[in-house]
């Protein structure tokens, strides 16, 4: 059942990225272009997602276990360290250069766009390099 | 600042759907959605590998299913050079793994848990993203 849920959640998430146009780098770069021709749309993606996930998370967070798993596995990391900041700076720079972040990039593989496929391959190389160090 | 191409309704609708997916993954499988974690764990870890793969396959099915039922063609526009895409991809891959999350993991899952760590990460990558676009526009 876990596996069906994973597939299903991926599909819904992907559809959300398409409808919100978060999948379109031009739209993302428009959102980040705060000091130029600004397109504020993507702020509403985040607001929409948080409006649903925040209250529902807090409503059910004290539940003993999830419906199809034996336990919750949720990060309890709290430290605000150099790695958090440096990683976020690198990510922000890559996001601002390409207009793609991991979810939309992987979702856009469906469109067989060579540019986004190139981005995804480079991103996976990045994942792999951090594992080596 | 000029506001252009503003599409709040589709953005909000898509956001609500994404939030619902995050909630389902949490309440059913007990996990918080973070795409960079799912993708990198699929690559390097044996734990939950099939689950992670299926989530990624689902992401790719998303647009196909959407197009099938709405008969709408999904248009995206990428004007960057290949070199810039490779550089951007590497930075996103490295950065999200060093900081432990991306737009979904820190920006949605983390903030909905009221994690200070994720809130700081999100503010940082948003500000740097905005500055990066500002600088590329000047150059």
């Amino acid at each position: 059942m876990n596996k069906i849920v994973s597939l299903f959640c991926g599909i819904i998430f992907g559809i959300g990225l398409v409808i919100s146009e978060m999948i379109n780098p031009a739209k993302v770069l428009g959102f980040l272009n705060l000091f130029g021709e600004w397109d504020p749309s993507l702020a509403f993606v985040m607001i929409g997602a948080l409006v649903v996930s925040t209250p529902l998370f807090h409503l059910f967070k004290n539940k003993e276990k999830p419906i199809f798993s034996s336990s919750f596995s949720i990060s309890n990391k709290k430290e605000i360290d150099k790695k958090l900041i440096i990683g976020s700076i690198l990510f922000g720079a890559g996001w601002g250069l390409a207009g793609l972040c991991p979810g939309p990039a992987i979702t856009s593989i469906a469109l067989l766009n060579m540019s986004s496929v190139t981005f995804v391959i480079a991103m996976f190389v990045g994942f792999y390099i951090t594992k080596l160090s | 600042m000029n506001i252009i191409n503003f599409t709040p309704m589709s953005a909000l609708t898509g956001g609500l759907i994404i939030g619902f997916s995050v909630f389902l993954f949490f309440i059913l499988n007990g996990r918080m959605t973070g795409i960079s974690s799912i993708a990198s764990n699929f690559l390097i870890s044996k734990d939950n590998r099939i689950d992670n793969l299926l989530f990624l396959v689902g992401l790719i099915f998303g647009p196909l299913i959407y197009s099938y039922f709405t008969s709408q063609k999904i248009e995206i526009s990428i004007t960057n050079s290949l070199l810039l895409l490779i550089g951007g991809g590497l930075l996103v891959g490295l950065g999200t793994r060093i900081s432990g999350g991306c737009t979904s993991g820190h920006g949605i899952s983390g903030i909905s848990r009221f994690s200070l760590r994720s809130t700081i990460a999100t503010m940082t990558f948003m500000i740097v993203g905005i500055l990066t676009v500002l600088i590329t526009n000047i150059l």
Side-chain angles (χ1 to χ4, degrees):
Chain A
M1 203 56 208
N2 264 297
K3 300 194 167 34
I4 298 171
V5 170
S6 299
L7 180 69
F8 184 68
C9 286
I11 292 173
I12 307 179
F13 201 107
I15 291 175
L17 289 174
V18 171
I19 293 178
S20 64
E21 290 186 73
M22 185 94 192
I23 193 177
N24 186 359
K27 198 83 182 159
V28 175
L29 294 175
F31 171 67
L32 294 175
N33 194 10
L34 184 65
F35 299 107
E37 307 255 271
W38 190 42
D39 174 1
S41 310
L42 294 189
F44 286 72
V45 183
M46 201 144 169
I47 293 169
L50 289 174
V51 160
V52 176
S53 61
T54 307
L56 289 173
F57 173 77
H58 290 278
L59 192 61
F60 292 102
K61 67 177 176 185
N62 294 324
K63 231 171 143 299
E64 211 169 295
K65 63 189 213 50
I67 295 172
F68 297 127
S69 280
S70 50
S71 65
F72 285 106
S73 56
I74 288 164
S75 159
N76 52 10
K77 275 193 200 157
K78 290 206 163 52
E79 55 286 320
I80 292 149
D81 51 9
K82 248 190 246 163
K83 279 178 74 181
L84 183 77
I85 304 300
I86 291 171
S88 299
I89 290 173
L90 294 179
F91 168 45
W95 194 36
L97 283 178
L100 283 162
C101 56
I106 293 168
T107 306
S108 68
I109 292 176
L111 310 177
L112 301 176
N113 179 308
M114 277 338 280
S115 300
S116 65
V117 173
T118 307
F119 178 91
V120 170
I121 294 170
M123 181 176 82
F124 272 90
V125 172
F127 290 155
Y128 196 72
I129 294 172
T130 31
K131 194 240 171 180
L132 296 178
S133 56
Chain B
M1 183 213 292
N2 289 314
I3 290 185
I4 57 156
N5 298 332
F6 189 33
T7 53
M9 282 323 288
S10 56
L12 192 68
T13 311
L16 295 171
I17 294 170
I18 291 169
F20 186 62
S21 164
V22 170
F23 168 64
L24 284 182
F25 203 46
F26 160 69
I27 197 70
L28 299 176
N29 281 7
R31 295 174 63 188
M32 290 308 274
T33 311
I35 312 285
S36 65
S37 305
I38 291 174
S40 65
N41 283 335
F42 161 69
L43 182 70
I44 59 192
S45 157
K46 286 201 178 81
D47 296 341
N48 289 326
R49 185 167 259 166
I50 306 287
D51 285 61
N52 290 334
L53 173 65
L54 286 169
F55 193 101
L56 300 177
V57 170
L59 280 181
I60 298 170
F61 275 173
L64 304 176
I65 292 171
Y66 176 82
S67 291
Y68 181 80
F69 283 105
T70 61
S71 329
Q72 274 182 30
K73 200 169 178 299
I74 301 159
E75 307 269 1
I76 64 171
S77 149
I78 305 179
T79 52
N80 283 322
S81 69
L82 224 48
L83 199 66
L84 207 62
L85 287 165
I86 293 172
L90 278 173
L91 284 170
V92 169
L94 291 170
T96 53
R97 284 304 81 213
I98 294 171
S99 78
C102 57
T103 338
S104 51
H106 280 313
I108 300 170
S109 297
I111 291 182
S112 42
R113 292 189 290 116
F114 301 145
S115 155
L116 180 63
R117 179 182 148 81
S118 288
T119 310
I120 289 176
T122 306
M123 283 164 50
T124 308
F125 65 68
M126 288 262 179
I127 292 169
V128 174
I130 289 167
L131 291 177
T132 306
V133 169
L134 181 67
I135 294 165
T136 12
N137 285 349
I138 293 169
L139 295 178

